[in-house]
Each structure stands twice: as structure tokens, then as C-alpha cells.
Amino acid sequence: MKYLVRDKIFAIGDDYWIEDEQGRHAFLVDGKALRLRDTLELKGPDGRVLVTLRQKMFSLRDAMTIERDDQPLATVRRKRLSLLRNHYRVTLVDGTELDVSGRILDREFTVEYEGELLAHISRQWFHVRETYAVNVVREDADAALQIAVAVCVIRMAERERED
């Protein structure tokens, strides 16, 4: 299932909808302004919070946590940097690790588990510059988690570019 994200609205305090392939509201990204750390909530169309994304305050390396029901679900950290591709590691609380690699700032990257593609993030399907898709490839993959991972790595890469 592909989800459409309009990129240019990624400011703290702004809310925006992520649409499914049929153009229906699938997720609401609710940016929390006036917080000490970067915080976003990913909500369902009914307004229920599905996951919360938070910048880790005291970490040697830049990191964000993904929480579900106020419990940690995953931690996202930059793995290593190469000249052409960025690499991030998502560590779930059960020890499972997802690899995120590609050109994050260009919105061309993948999320994989043990070499198997879970999601592909790309602008190639759209002609509008500020739009990209999160294509959740596996039907049993948690779409909210895949979108949260995409949002986290993009925010982290943009913050790193600004520094």
C-alpha cells in the first residue's frame, strides 16, 4: 500500500494528513510545538494516537524513539555515513533490527529486515517536488511503524544537514 506524504509541511507545530492510494486520510501527523524536544504524534483518521516520535534528549549520537501506548517501541539511530547513501538502524524493543539506507534527503531509500524489503520511500512516482510516497511492500508490515521510521530518519537527516 502506498501512502502519500507532502514534504514541505514538516515543521514542528504543524499538522498534516498522509493519504492512502485512494486519496483518503490515512494518518494525521500532529507536531507538538513548545516542547523541549522534537515530538510528533502519528494518529489514525479517528484521532487515536498510533505512535509518538520523540527526539532523545541525552544521547551520544542523534536518536529518536518511537513509542506506542506510552511504551518504547523502537529507537532510530544513524548507523554510518557514506558519500552517497545514509544508513540508519531501527532497533525494536524485542531486539529486532531494521536497516534504513539510501539517499534520505532525496527521499529515495528503503527499510529492510534481514535483507527483505519492508518499505520503499520514493519521489519517483510524483512530479510535485514536495511529495513522496511510503510504499509498504509487505502486507503484514506495520504501516504506522514504517511511516514513523520514514519521518524519523528524514527529520534526523535534515537536522544533521542544518548542523
Side-chain angles (χ1 to χ4, degrees):
M1 165 84 58
K2 282 185 191 159
Y3 297 93
L4 174 71
V5 182
R6 298 196 198 297
D7 204 21
K8 103 196 256 192
I9 327 176
F10 270 144
I12 294 297
D14 287 346
D15 301 342
Y16 59 93
W17 284 100
I18 295 173
E19 299 171 351
D20 64 14
E21 291 177 287
Q22 290 75 38
R24 296 182 303 238
H25 290 168
F27 300 100
L28 174 67
V29 177
D30 185 0
K32 299 298 181 184
L34 303 175
R35 299 274 173 107
L36 185 58
R37 57 186 178 168
D38 196 359
T39 303
L40 299 165
E41 291 179 339
L42 186 64
K43 299 178 178 181
D46 60 358
R48 185 175 55 92
V49 176
L50 302 173
V51 292
T52 303
L53 296 75
R54 296 182 205 279
Q55 177 184 3
K56 275 192 124 174
M57 289 301 290
F58 304 106
S59 178
L60 293 176
R61 293 185 299 165
D62 193 22
M64 289 188 79
T65 59
I66 301 172
E67 301 171 0
R68 180 172 278 148
D69 299 325
D70 295 322
Q71 298 296 315
L73 178 62
T75 301
V76 181
R77 284 190 174 87
R78 189 173 65 122
K79 185 175 171 184
R80 63 183 178 268
L81 182 66
S82 67
L83 294 177
L84 300 175
R85 302 172 70 82
N86 298 105
H87 297 273
Y88 289 81
R89 174 161 288 142
V90 180
T91 306
L92 303 177
V93 291
D94 67 2
T96 302
E97 291 185 343
L98 307 179
D99 288 312
V100 180
S101 65
R103 295 183 323 273
I104 307 297
L105 294 174
D106 292 335
R107 309 312 189 254
E108 295 292 336
F109 59 97
T110 59
V111 180
E112 297 179 341
Y113 170 67
E114 293 185 348
E116 185 176 346
L117 183 64
L118 298 178
H120 180 219
I121 293 77
S122 180
R123 280 194 172 134
Q124 76 180 11
W125 298 296
F126 302 101
H127 298 291
V128 180
R129 170 110 174 96
E130 293 83 18
T131 304
Y132 67 92
V134 176
N135 185 14
V136 180
V137 177
R138 285 190 41 173
E139 288 189 27
D140 63 339
D142 182 343
L145 176 61
Q146 300 305 312
I147 290 169
V149 166
V151 170
C152 279
V153 297
I154 290 168
R155 289 187 80 85
M156 291 170 71
E158 287 179 344
R159 205 170 30 243
E160 189 176 297
R161 179 182 61 186
E162 291 171 2
D163 291 342

